[in-house]
Amino acid sequence: MKKLVLFLTIVLFATSGVFAQQRQRATPEERAKRQTETLVKELSLTEDQQKKVYEINLKFAQPLADQGKETDREKLRAQFQKNQEERTAAIKAVLTEDQQKKFDEHQKKMQDERRRGN
């Protein structure tokens, strides 16, 4: 019985590590798709807006993949922040005024969750 519990515990930890690695290694296309799907739900995007937002997300997801090779944390943080600001401005240009307000609220909510570690 103890061996079974030990085996199941090992399997559980091993598989959770695999899933975590898969999430971290999402391709730029997968990241862009996931981000776009979130905004479609949050902002009720039109078909045309969905396509434009996906293209924006894809454009800005690629540099993130390339930044993974950077070792200087401050430089990486500055690049990431610049990337986020440009992405936000590009997305807001596609949105209506009401959607922009919802987008700002969504961004603030996500930022708060990241700060709390959720």
Side-chain angles (χ1 to χ4, degrees):
M1 184 66 170
K2 290 181 182 180
K3 289 182 182 180
L4 179 62
V5 171
L6 179 63
F7 175 75
L8 292 175
T9 304
I10 291 171
V11 169
L12 177 65
F13 282 114
T15 55
S16 66
V18 169
F19 290 125
Q21 287 177 351
Q22 287 176 346
R23 182 174 177 201
Q24 291 174 350
R25 295 185 183 168
T27 66
E29 292 81 11
E30 291 168 336
R31 263 195 313 278
K33 183 179 178 187
R34 189 174 58 240
Q35 290 170 336
T36 303
E37 287 172 352
T38 299
L39 293 179
V40 166
K41 292 175 190 173
E42 293 281 330
L43 308 176
S44 302
L45 300 179
T46 65
E47 198 69 32
D48 184 48
Q49 287 174 318
Q50 288 178 38
K51 290 175 188 173
K52 290 177 182 176
V53 168
Y54 174 77
E55 290 301 319
I56 293 166
N57 283 329
L58 184 58
K59 175 184 173 187
F60 288 98
Q62 187 58 47
L64 288 177
D66 297 339
Q67 288 175 358
K69 300 170 187 129
E70 180 63 52
T71 56
D72 182 358
R73 292 192 93 141
E74 284 302 313
K75 187 176 179 181
L76 183 60
R77 184 176 292 128
Q79 288 174 341
F80 179 78
Q81 186 169 354
K82 180 182 177 203
N83 189 336
Q84 284 299 99
E85 289 169 0
E86 291 174 2
R87 176 183 167 266
T88 297
I91 289 175
K92 287 177 94 171
V94 173
L95 304 177
T96 66
E97 193 173 318
D98 288 339
Q99 288 172 325
Q100 288 177 8
K101 289 176 186 175
K102 289 179 184 177
F103 180 71
D104 288 338
E105 291 170 8
H106 172 74
Q107 292 289 87
K108 185 174 179 348
K109 182 178 106 179
M110 296 304 290
Q111 192 175 43
D112 291 345
E113 286 180 11
R114 281 191 297 272
R115 284 188 180 137
R116 285 191 300 248
N118 293 339

